[in-house]
Amino acid sequence: MLKSLLAIAAVSLAVSAPAAAAIAEPVAAPQQGYTVIPVAPSERSGRTRQIRCSVGQMRETNCSFTPLFGDGSFQLDGPNIAYRLIIDNGEGYLFEVFSRDERVAIGGLYRRDNRDRACWVAVERTPAPSRICAR
């Protein structure tokens, strides 16, 4: 069963501006020219670490990788990069991240690349990035 993607989106949309302001959100420190968007402690399954990543056709760059939910899902933050790949039964669903509580589904279905296990590849052609790699 699809892991409550609609619930995640609904929670993101349900947080009103006054409620969001009341949530004490830690200030994220800039990392090599970008700011890491904070992840709620209840979603984090490990600590954030620095990796190399690439999204779509862009060159590989430094990114912050945060594991989520303990199931292979993760958030990538980097220069012009703020994405979550939510994994459910070996398939991925891509979200663009705007803040700790604001995410929008932007891609179709992603599957792990058989030749490069560090990468997830879009199954269908969409405006979303065709490939997400985290090394």
Side-chain angles (χ1 to χ4, degrees):
M1 189 159 151
L2 186 57
K3 181 192 299 160
S4 303
L5 289 176
L6 295 176
I8 292 169
V11 167
S12 296
L13 295 174
V15 175
S16 66
I23 298 170
E25 187 169 311
V27 176
Q31 298 287 330
Q32 301 173 1
Y34 65 93
T35 300
V36 175
I37 297 174
V39 173
S42 62
E43 298 173 346
R44 178 187 304 271
S45 65
R47 66 181 190 79
T48 300
R49 64 185 189 272
Q50 294 300 302
I51 63 163
R52 300 286 291 167
C53 75
S54 61
V55 175
Q57 300 299 316
M58 68 178 264
R59 293 183 350 178
E60 198 169 275
T61 188
N62 292 324
C63 290
S64 295
F65 175 93
T66 304
L68 305 170
F69 310 115
D71 62 1
S73 300
F74 59 89
Q75 180 167 312
L76 283 180
D77 293 288
N80 300 314
I81 298 170
Y83 293 110
R84 278 190 178 196
L85 192 68
I86 304 299
I87 310 302
D88 184 53
N89 293 322
E91 297 179 331
Y93 302 88
L94 189 63
F95 292 79
E96 188 165 2
V97 180
F98 297 100
S99 73
R100 186 177 98 169
D101 298 312
E102 294 179 273
R103 298 171 288 282
V104 175
I106 61 166
L109 180 65
Y110 284 75
R111 292 207 174 106
R112 197 158 222 168
D113 189 328
N114 289 328
R115 291 174 280 146
D116 186 348
R117 302 299 284 167
C119 298
W120 290 81
V121 180
V123 173
E124 304 160 348
R125 182 174 233 148
T126 70
S130 58
R131 186 174 179 86
I132 308 287
C133 298
R135 304 181 193 287

